[in-house]
Amino acid sequence: MNSLNTYLIISAFLFSIGLVGVLQRRNLIGMLISVELMLNGANLNFMAFNRFLTPEPVVGQIIALAIMGLAAAEAAIGLSIILALYRKMHSINIEQAQRLKG
Amino acid sequence: MDTSSSLTALAQAAFWITIGFTITGACIAVFARNILYNVLGLALALTGVAGIYLFLGSLFIALMQLLIYVGAICIAIVFAIMLSRPLHLDTPPRPMPKVVMAVAASAVFFIGLAGVALKTKWVPAIERSTDYSVVTIGHMFLTRYELVFEVISLVLLVAIIGAIITAGFSRRLSS
């Protein structure tokens, strides 16, 4: 119905707006949210190629599922690191987490 | 003839409304100052992406998106927000040069990516099967793509253990 280029532009937009968030937020949770948006952009790209180009439409869906599993693992690890950092620093602002600064 | 064309127009309108939801949610998730609005925007954007998966023909992935992202990850982030700074304090202003540079860098990236996507001549495969059923996905997951399945299981196990240890050890050290 819609062409491949529409989906590619949407996924590029999602990835770019996630990049804006990662570069300019100072709140660790805000950065985590932006990373989730970037992962979704990549996932949408895989599904679009899967719909329009590949010989077997199973492969892209399997890759998309794998990325979702990785995103869940990443969120769990990231949130537990935020928890540990908050207990040490009493803040989740990344500009105060500078103890390892050289 | 008339009904089919009006149905197509309806589907097209639904497609663009879904895309509007996705983009609005992404903008709220990145640019709003209140962290709770960020999470709600993220949930809106992820639901919109699930709708786009429906338009791409895969009901299974759309349901998985709703279940994993909207159901699990957003709720986990809401738990973590309880650690954020108190919501009633007013937030410090954003440093303007940082925002401008971030937007400029991302705009360059977006233009490059969109240029590559539009310039390339995409050639579909000659023979394409149209088998989107869950049965086929399950068969492939346990035969040819067994390695993906096992690696994801291992990564999830390591992530669970690592999360427990990271959150638990710091509690023991600080108390």
Side-chain angles (χ1 to χ4, degrees):
Chain A
M1 176 169 69
N2 296 285
S3 69
L4 175 61
N5 282 332
T6 317
Y7 295 102
L8 292 185
I9 297 290
I10 297 164
S11 73
F13 179 81
L14 273 185
F15 195 93
S16 304
I17 207 162
L19 193 61
V20 175
V22 171
L23 288 178
Q24 62 127 4
R25 297 302 294 263
R26 282 166 298 177
N27 187 331
L28 263 175
I29 297 177
M31 295 175 79
L32 201 65
I33 290 174
S34 307
V35 171
E36 299 295 339
L37 277 180
M38 291 170 81
L39 281 170
N40 260 282
N43 226 344
L44 191 57
N45 230 342
F46 274 117
M47 289 297 288
F49 284 130
N50 178 47
R51 166 74 176 74
F52 287 100
L53 300 183
T54 52
E56 291 176 65
V58 176
V59 185
Q61 302 187 47
I62 286 179
I63 292 178
L65 270 182
I67 293 178
M68 280 180 199
L70 281 182
E74 175 252 337
I77 289 286
L79 290 177
S80 76
I81 288 176
I82 290 172
L83 205 68
L85 195 69
Y86 182 78
R87 289 213 182 99
K88 275 243 184 309
M89 305 269 178
H90 297 285
S91 155
I92 58 168
N93 190 327
I94 50 166
E95 286 175 358
Q96 292 171 15
Q98 290 183 333
R99 199 168 288 174
L100 287 177
K101 193 176 181 183
Chain B
M1 177 61 199
D2 198 20
T3 35
S4 79
S5 70
S6 66
L7 266 184
T8 313
L10 198 63
Q12 202 72 20
F15 179 73
W16 289 107
I17 287 172
T18 314
I19 287 177
F21 273 137
T22 309
I23 289 176
T24 315
C27 290
I28 293 174
V30 170
F31 293 116
R33 301 305 307 266
N34 191 333
I35 191 74
L36 205 56
Y37 291 164
N38 288 151
V39 179
L40 293 179
L42 180 71
L44 184 64
L46 297 180
T47 314
V49 171
I52 296 177
Y53 288 161
L54 278 185
F55 279 100
L56 285 170
S58 177
L59 180 65
F60 177 61
I61 297 293
L63 286 180
M64 282 296 124
Q65 168 94 4
L66 278 184
L67 196 68
I68 296 177
Y69 272 113
V70 185
I73 291 181
C74 283
I75 299 300
I77 292 176
V78 168
F79 270 117
I81 284 178
M82 292 189 286
L83 304 177
S84 186
R85 47 180 294 127
L87 292 174
H88 54 85
L89 300 179
D90 43 345
T91 47
R94 284 187 167 154
M96 214 46 213
K98 195 176 173 183
V99 176
V100 171
M101 280 197 293
V103 171
S106 303
V108 169
F109 191 81
F110 175 72
I111 290 171
L113 216 54
V116 168
L118 291 180
K119 283 249 165 150
T120 311
K121 196 119 183 76
W122 302 108
V123 184
I126 299 167
E127 281 187 14
R128 305 192 50 233
S129 85
T130 52
D131 191 4
Y132 279 91
S133 66
V134 184
V135 179
T136 320
I137 297 176
H139 272 300
M140 284 295 187
F141 238 134
L142 289 180
T143 53
R144 199 194 302 168
Y145 300 101
E146 172 86 34
L147 185 66
V148 179
F149 187 68
E150 297 290 336
V151 166
I152 283 298
S153 319
L154 192 66
V155 165
L156 280 177
L157 178 70
V158 171
I160 292 168
I161 296 174
I164 292 172
I165 287 179
T166 312
F169 266 155
S170 66
R171 177 188 300 165
R172 197 173 307 153
L173 287 179
S174 63
S175 65

